[in-house]
């Protein structure tokens, strides 16, 4: 595994460049090719269960190496969304990650696996049937799979989101709200969505030890989550102080570079120490 400098490809493309610039058109073209030819790969970032002090599983994160440097998903996911490629990309990621989950299962591991779904995919006709077909095809236990949907995606069309999420729940899949607390202000919508987990955005987590107000906000989100029987996860944990604060407050899960960076699947089990995470 070659540790690649993240973002070494940034100079090639900047988001506020002219959308018709040759660089951008070339990037978009290359992305089409990469998705079509299945050249995207996945890395897996561990999720720590703070209550038992064990790894619970992983989040699958898509990776694209172009011309020998890694392009950030923060750049190419929006590009895929604009170029009508995102649904195919999300499908490919789901196929790959379910196949990986199956392979871990045959190795005696039983991790929980999280997969991100974009806004457009969430609202795409036929999504739930497609996901169900893949779960069946790969023969994985749906309760080991968690779909991550951003807060903004959910509230964009609440009644439609509600219908899709109910279908997922009926299939036995679990749902997390990603980047919680990064944008949307009202929490009332939570009452109407049968989700399982809140993933608190790293921008808020990074305020631990710096802003008393944000610490209070984090504590309030935790209380709200627990009062709704939701699991609460903190993203982007980078320091021991942050981890200790979260543990003391009673947060359920944590994810971040301190616990583990996203890694290729071959590395993931060794770094788990081959414990049967979440078994039983
Ligand atoms: P996300 O789902 O919120 O994923 C967390 C992002 O934070 C990942 O960035 C991860 O590498 C990064 N991260 C995790 N811990 C830390 C930390 O301690 N410090 C810092 N600085 N960063 C941390 P990544 O992989 O670049 O992905 C960015 C976003 O792109 C993701 O945010 C997600 O919204 C999207 N994305 C990634 N993979 C997929 C995918 O397969 N499908 C879709 N639709 N979106 C994806
Ligand atoms: Mg995510
Ligand atoms: Mg997030
Ligand atoms: Mg994000």
């Amino acid at each position: 595994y070659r540790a690649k400098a993240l973002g070494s490809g940034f100079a090639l493309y900047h988001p506020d460049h002219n959308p018709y610039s040759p660089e951008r058109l070339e990037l978009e073209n290359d992305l089409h090719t990469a998705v079509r030819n299945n050249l995207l790969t996945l890395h897996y970032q561990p999720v720590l269960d703070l209550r038992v002090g064990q790894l619970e599983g992983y989040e699958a994160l898509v990776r694209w190496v172009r011309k020998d440097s890694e392009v950030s998903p923060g750049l190419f996911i929006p590009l895929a969304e604009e170029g009508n490629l995102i649904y195919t990309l999300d499908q490919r990621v789901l196929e790959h990650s379910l196949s990986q989950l199956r392979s871990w299962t045959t190795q005696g591991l039983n991790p929980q696996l999280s997969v991100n779904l974009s806004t457009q995919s969430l609202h795409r006709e036929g999504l739930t049937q497609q996901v169900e077909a893949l779960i069946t095809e790969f023969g994985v236990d749906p309760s080991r799979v968690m779909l991550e949907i951003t807060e903004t995606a959910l509230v964009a069309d609440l009644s439609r989101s509600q219908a899709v999420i109910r279908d997922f729940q009926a299939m036995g899949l679990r749902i997390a709200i990603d980047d919680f607390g990064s944008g949307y202000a009202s929490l009332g919508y939570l009452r109407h969505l049968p989700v399982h987990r809140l993933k608190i955005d790293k921008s808020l987590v990074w305020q631990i030890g710096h802003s008393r107000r944000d610490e209070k906000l984090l504590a309030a989100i935790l209380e709200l989550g627990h009062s709704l029987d939701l699991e609460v996860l903190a993203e982007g944990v980078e320091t021991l102080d942050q981890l200790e604060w979260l543990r003391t407050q009673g947060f359920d899960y944590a994810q971040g570079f301190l616990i583990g960076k996203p890694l290729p699947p071959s590395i993931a089990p060794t770094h788990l120490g081959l414990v049967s995470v979440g078994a039983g």
Side-chain angles (χ1 to χ4, degrees):
Y1 169 57
R2 273 184 303 153
K4 269 212 166 89
L6 270 173
S8 40
F10 283 7
L12 290 169
Y13 170 74
H14 191 270
D16 39 53
H17 268 178
N18 170 2
Y20 302 107
S21 73
E23 291 87 355
R24 184 189 156 123
L25 290 176
E26 200 199 330
L27 191 73
E28 198 171 327
N29 210 38
D30 288 356
L31 183 60
H32 268 275
T33 309
V35 171
R36 221 178 16 241
N37 298 334
N38 239 334
L39 302 176
L40 302 183
T41 57
L42 291 179
H43 281 187
Y44 295 86
Q45 184 177 34
V47 175
L48 178 66
D49 184 336
L50 292 170
R51 301 163 303 186
V52 296
Q54 270 193 350
L55 292 189
E56 182 215 30
Y58 300 98
E59 175 177 3
L61 293 159
V62 70
R63 294 293 177 260
W64 180 27
V65 177
R66 172 184 184 251
K67 296 176 180 168
D68 279 330
S69 64
E70 203 166 89
V71 184
S72 159
L75 286 183
F76 71 80
I77 295 288
L79 207 62
E81 282 171 341
E82 288 158 33
N84 261 327
L85 254 182
I86 191 68
Y87 188 68
T88 312
L89 187 152
D90 279 347
Q91 292 301 311
R92 289 280 155 83
V93 167
L94 205 55
E95 281 168 26
H96 271 217
S97 53
L98 293 182
S99 141
Q100 184 60 54
L101 181 60
R102 195 190 155 77
S103 140
W104 277 329
T105 307
T106 59
Q107 293 170 50
L109 299 167
N110 189 24
Q112 179 83 41
L113 185 74
S114 266
V115 183
N116 293 283
L117 266 188
S118 82
T119 313
Q120 280 179 40
S121 296
L122 182 72
H123 297 129
R124 172 94 167 221
E125 199 67 47
L127 170 74
T128 52
Q129 292 88 333
Q130 183 65 25
V131 171
E132 189 163 34
L134 289 175
I135 294 280
T136 308
E137 181 186 338
F138 289 99
V140 300
D141 174 358
S143 75
R144 303 314 290 166
V145 180
M146 184 170 263
L147 299 173
E148 298 194 2
I149 301 165
T150 63
E151 192 175 30
T152 37
L154 286 173
V155 298
D157 185 344
L158 201 52
S159 64
R160 186 157 173 86
S161 300
Q162 213 166 14
V164 173
I165 285 184
R166 290 206 173 121
D167 284 350
F168 283 144
Q169 189 177 42
M171 285 180 222
L173 294 162
R174 309 183 73 225
I175 306 291
I177 302 186
D178 204 354
D179 302 345
F180 189 80
S182 67
Y184 203 68
S186 158
L187 303 170
Y189 73 92
L190 281 178
R191 290 188 295 128
H192 307 293
L193 291 174
V195 301
H196 303 89
R197 181 175 293 185
L198 300 179
K199 295 191 70 170
I200 301 179
D201 196 62
K202 45 187 178 294
S203 59
L204 205 48
V205 173
W206 289 343
Q207 292 308 314
I208 296 169
H210 299 291
S211 159
R212 282 289 295 144
R213 275 178 74 97
D214 287 337
E215 286 178 356
K216 283 185 188 156
L217 185 56
L218 281 163
I221 290 175
L222 178 68
E223 196 180 317
L224 170 91
H226 282 174
S227 74
L228 294 170
D229 281 325
L230 304 178
E231 301 163 345
V232 183
L233 177 150
E235 287 192 313
V237 177
E238 293 187 347
T239 70
L240 269 174
D241 286 347
Q242 289 165 353
L243 188 67
E244 271 321 301
W245 189 88
L246 293 162
R247 208 199 302 269
T248 309
Q249 292 289 315
F251 280 75
D252 306 302
Y253 296 92
Q255 208 178 337
F257 292 171
L258 178 75
I259 296 146
K261 292 203 168 172
L263 292 170
S266 53
I267 300 293
T270 48
H271 131 287
L272 264 183
L274 281 166
V275 289
S276 295
V277 281

